[in-house]
Amino acid sequence: SYLLTQPPSVSVAPGQTARIPCGGDNIGSKSVHWYRQRPGQAPALVVFENSDRPSGVPDRYSGSNSENTATLTINRVEAGDEGDYYCQVWESSNDHRVFGGGTKLTVL
Amino acid sequence: QVQLEQSGADVKKTGSSVKVSCKTSGYSFTDYVVAWVRQAPGRGLEYMGGIIPLLNAANYAQPFQEGRLSITAVKSTATVYMELSSLRSEDTAIYYCARGVATSKTNWFDTWGQGTLVTVSS
């Protein structure tokens, strides 16, 4: 099964830029999707197909994907951006979805 | 608007089964995959499996391929069910259903249910 690796935590001061990496073998050849989960809530999609945003997600959120690392970038971080962030890919060989272990974003 | 409404919390005994429902609305039920993802306390998201309602074909992640998990869909009520049997304490988790969006290259989840807490105890 394909493995996605995320750091357990990332901390950033308000107004700064948060970068959350998601590592995987040749992940640049796959499409990566990102979800935010606030405490006590269900996950919510924030970026799909590497860099597209669903309606309602601010343009402070962006994504990139190259070689062995995909990255979710959040500019001008606010307190409301806190939560757990998960990357996800699709394994075409078995039609399975794979999640990274999640990264807790803390706004200092 | 697209909505996925799940059944309420449940407490089960070790060795028993649980069945959680996910009633969908606001879109054409047969056009999208509905999947199940669970989250144990303090842990990350774990994909369990999904179903294509148009074909009534289910697909299960490797840890659930030994027959403990069954995902079914009822077109008449636009509802998907997840049944997990031979419950053990480590099955205690929040269970989410999610709508899957598919392209020729990838799949992602654009809408999630509110989650159902299943507690397994002896």
Side-chain angles (χ1 to χ4, degrees):
Chain A
S1 184
Y2 190 74
L3 186 63
L4 294 173
T5 302
Q6 297 183 240
S9 63
V10 166
S11 299
V12 64
Q16 299 304 302
T17 297
R19 295 180 179 85
I20 300 173
C22 173
D25 183 36
N26 197 27
I27 196 173
S29 67
K30 300 179 181 295
S31 280
V32 179
H33 321 292
W34 292 90
Y35 305 87
R36 177 186 62 211
Q37 185 178 34
R38 292 179 170 132
Q41 295 188 15
L45 183 70
V46 292
V47 165
F48 63 98
E49 292 193 289
N50 297 322
S51 58
D52 288 338
R53 288 184 309 278
S55 61
V57 174
D59 60 6
R60 299 183 298 104
Y61 284 74
S62 64
S64 63
N65 187 14
S66 178
E67 297 185 350
N68 295 311
T69 304
T71 303
L72 176 70
T73 300
I74 309 171
N75 292 315
R76 303 181 302 282
V77 165
E78 305 169 355
D81 296 324
E82 281 198 333
D84 295 321
Y85 288 81
Y86 296 90
C87 56
Q88 177 248 314
V89 300
W90 176 60
E91 281 190 289
S92 58
S93 59
N94 55 18
D95 194 29
H96 288 173
R97 288 79 175 157
V98 178
F99 289 97
T103 297
K104 181 178 182 62
L105 175 65
T106 299
V107 180
L108 301 170
Chain B
Q1 72 280 24
V2 176
Q3 288 188 315
L4 283 69
E5 187 70 28
Q6 298 183 223
S7 49
D10 209 344
V11 179
K12 293 295 184 181
K13 293 288 189 185
T14 304
S16 67
S17 299
V18 67
K19 192 169 188 176
V20 181
S21 66
C22 173
K23 183 167 178 56
T24 72
S25 61
Y27 71 98
S28 176
F29 181 62
T30 53
D31 286 353
Y32 294 84
V33 167
V34 175
W36 290 90
V37 176
R38 73 178 182 178
Q39 186 172 37
R43 305 293 296 271
L45 303 175
E46 179 183 23
Y47 172 75
M48 300 176 69
I51 190 165
I52 304 172
L54 178 66
L55 306 175
N56 217 18
N59 171 285
Y60 303 109
Q62 194 277 330
F64 302 98
Q65 289 180 353
E66 77 278 17
R68 275 205 317 141
L69 176 64
S70 175
I71 299 174
T72 55
V74 177
K75 294 187 186 72
S76 61
T77 58
T79 302
V80 174
Y81 296 90
M82 184 282 299
E83 184 168 21
L84 190 61
S85 61
S86 301
L87 290 169
R88 27 210 196 224
S89 59
E90 52 265 41
D91 292 319
T92 293
I94 297 174
Y95 290 76
Y96 295 101
C97 61
R99 189 179 82 158
V101 177
T103 70
S104 59
K105 291 175 57 179
T106 187
N107 283 251
W108 66 90
F109 302 117
D110 70 341
T111 308
W112 295 66
Q114 81 274 23
T116 297
L117 175 62
V118 175
T119 304
V120 182
S121 67
S122 54

